């Protein structure tokens, strides 16, 4: 029985590569292309067994109401449209007939209703995208690369589907918006203008999600090399994001705040650190709402200077008052392992 949506495809990708028969892949609103595309329904993913292709290389997104189509590059090695290299994580408009190239693969977009110009009008872009403060949470699976090398891709996909489903429900309960899953990571945002308690909700979500991973992990068929269940590291960061009117969702993050979130999540839960860590700005905004571990000066890859980060211990309670920074004497300082 097919799992394809009943309404039928909105468009197609005609796929060709040297020495490989051509094929036509339907697009049901969204199509994820990559080496794994873990956690994505089969009808909405195109898996490519090629080491040049990232686990989650790109996404094609079609908006039937506005007859606009976009491709979003999320890869390591990059993507080209009509010979032009895409900027990572920034949606690029496409039209029927445009050619997308990744590695040795050529994808030709074909859709009758998406025939408008794919050229970006700078004036239109400024009108449709607005900067807004955001609170961002990234949850990253510890040792995912090693785990994925020793685990069957089908087992990974089914396990991540369960995991992301559980964490998605917790996210909705905490009024967060899922931006995307990046294979081994979850990326979510809160808009303080719409959710006044955004910082506290984001931290509470990270704590609750981490607790759920602790309970769910032993039930999942995903194991570390030593046989232990999966763990995740969580980072909470504040910064600016670009809001697109296309889907009323966050399409791209401006500046380096999102990079800080991903890099800090890669430190959390490792080398004796707490599973949930936040930047100094987040800690100041929620100082009295949570119990804090010691601050730490870390070097984040790709940035100059040190970042001050804090471990989150637990929500503060009437019986157990919040610990402010400086109350715990043990502070670790120095570059963090990348």
């Amino acid at each position: 029985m097919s799992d394809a949506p009943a309404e039928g495809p909105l468009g197609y990708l005609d796929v060709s590569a040297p020495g490989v028969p051509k094929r036509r892949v339907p697009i049901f609103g969204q199509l994820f292309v990559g080496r794994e595309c873990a956690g994505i329904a089969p009808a909405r993913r195109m898996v490519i067994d090629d080491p040049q292709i990232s686990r989650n290389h790109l996404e094609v997104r079609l908006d039937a109401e506005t007859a606009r189509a976009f491709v979003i590059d999320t890869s390591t090695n990059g993507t080209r449209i009509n010979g032009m290299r895409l900027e990572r994580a920034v949606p690029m408009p496409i039209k029927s007939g445009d050619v997308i190239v990744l590695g040795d693969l050529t994808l030709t977009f074909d859709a009758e209703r998406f025939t408008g110009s794919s050229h970006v009008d700078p004036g239109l872009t400024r009108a449709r995208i607005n900067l807004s403060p955001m609170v961002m949470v990234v949850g990253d699976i510890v040792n995912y690369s090693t785990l994925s090398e020793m685990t069957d891709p089908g087992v990974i996909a089914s396990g991540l589907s369960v995991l992301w489903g559980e964490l998605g429900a917790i996210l909705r309960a905490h009024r967060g918006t899922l931006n995307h899953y990046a294979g081994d990571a979850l990326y979510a945002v809160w808009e303080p203008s719409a959710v006044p308690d955004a910082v506290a909700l984001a931290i509470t979500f990270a704590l609750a999600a981490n607790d759920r991973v602790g309970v769910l992990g032993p039930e999942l068929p995903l194991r570390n090399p030593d046989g232990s269940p999966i763990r995740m590291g969580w980072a909470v960061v504040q910064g600016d994001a670009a809001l697109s009117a296309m889907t009323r969702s966050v399409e791209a993050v401006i500046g380096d705040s999102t990079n800080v979130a991903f890099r800090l999540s890669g430190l959390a839960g490792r080398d004796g650190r707490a599973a949930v860590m936040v930047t100094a700005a987040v800690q100041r905004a929620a100082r009295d709402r949570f119990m804090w571990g010691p601050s730490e000066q870390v070097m984040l890859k790709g940035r100059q200077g040190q970042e001050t980060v804090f471990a989150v211990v637990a929500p503060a309670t009437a019986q157990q008052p919040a610990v402010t920074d400086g109350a715990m004497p043990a502070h670790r300082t120095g570059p963090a392992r990348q």
Side-chain angles (χ1 to χ4, degrees):
M1 181 176 178
S2 172
D3 63 347
E7 64 271 17
L10 296 176
Y12 298 88
L13 288 180
D14 291 322
V15 184
S16 62
V20 178
K22 292 184 178 181
R23 57 174 169 149
R24 191 169 173 84
V25 178
I27 307 173
F28 298 96
Q30 285 177 292
L31 180 69
F32 294 83
V33 179
R35 205 170 66 245
E36 293 180 6
C37 303
I40 305 300
R44 297 183 185 273
R45 71 185 182 201
M46 183 172 72
V47 177
I48 304 165
D49 185 15
D50 184 339
Q52 298 182 77
I53 306 302
S54 296
R55 291 194 298 263
N56 300 277
H57 198 101
L58 63 82
E59 174 191 351
V60 177
R61 188 177 301 180
L62 309 183
D63 184 356
E65 292 187 2
T66 63
R68 290 174 65 82
F70 292 80
V71 64
I72 305 168
D73 174 69
T74 55
S75 71
T76 298
N77 291 332
T79 302
R80 293 181 183 273
I81 293 183
N82 302 328
M84 181 184 69
R85 182 176 291 274
L86 291 184
E87 184 177 351
R88 195 174 190 274
V90 176
M92 172 61 71
I94 58 173
K95 62 177 178 20
S96 186
D98 281 347
V99 176
I100 304 166
V101 175
L102 51 157
D104 294 328
L105 204 68
T106 299
L107 314 175
T108 302
F109 179 53
D110 182 17
E112 290 185 359
R113 72 174 75 182
F114 301 97
T115 56
S117 173
S118 60
H119 297 292
V120 180
D121 177 353
L124 177 61
T125 301
R126 286 193 293 270
R128 298 185 70 248
I129 298 180
N130 300 308
L131 286 179
S132 177
M134 283 283 172
V135 180
M136 311 164 198
V137 172
V138 174
D140 178 74
I141 297 176
V142 177
N143 293 329
Y144 179 79
S145 295
T146 302
L147 182 152
S148 64
E149 291 173 357
M150 56 179 291
T151 308
D152 179 82
V155 173
I156 293 177
S158 62
L160 290 181
S161 179
V162 173
L163 176 65
W164 297 149
E166 294 270 348
L167 298 186
I170 297 173
L171 178 63
R172 291 189 293 273
H174 288 80
R175 302 183 66 188
T177 299
L178 176 68
N179 185 274
H180 65 270
Y181 298 116
D184 57 340
L186 174 153
Y187 178 34
V189 297
W190 284 253
E191 294 182 64
S193 61
V195 185
D197 212 17
V199 172
L201 284 169
I203 298 174
T204 304
F205 160 72
L207 290 169
N210 188 65
D211 287 346
R212 186 57 185 152
V213 172
V215 173
L216 187 63
E219 302 174 5
L220 296 176
L222 305 175
R223 289 290 185 273
N224 289 299
D226 62 1
S228 62
I230 62 169
R231 297 181 296 109
M232 294 184 69
W234 299 86
V236 186
V237 171
Q238 284 182 304
D240 286 337
L243 299 182
S244 169
M246 184 185 79
T247 60
R248 300 179 185 273
S249 65
V250 176
E251 295 291 348
V253 175
I254 302 300
D256 67 353
S257 297
T258 189
N259 295 326
V260 171
F262 274 93
R263 289 162 183 164
L264 182 56
S265 72
L267 300 179
R270 297 152 171 91
D271 298 329
R273 295 184 176 88
V276 180
M277 302 187 72
V278 307
T279 56
V282 170
Q283 194 268 350
R284 287 194 298 271
R287 184 190 305 270
D288 298 327
R289 304 288 295 275
F290 299 89
M291 296 185 64
W292 305 98
S295 65
E296 178 183 354
Q297 300 293 316
V298 300
M299 295 292 295
L300 296 178
K301 184 178 179 181
R303 292 174 61 79
Q304 295 182 347
Q306 294 184 327
E307 289 279 338
T308 301
V309 298
F310 288 82
V312 185
V313 177
T317 64
Q319 293 75 29
Q320 197 172 29
V323 178
T324 60
D325 54 313
M328 298 183 69
H331 288 250
R332 178 169 52 188
T333 303
R337 191 180 73 177
Q338 301 303 315

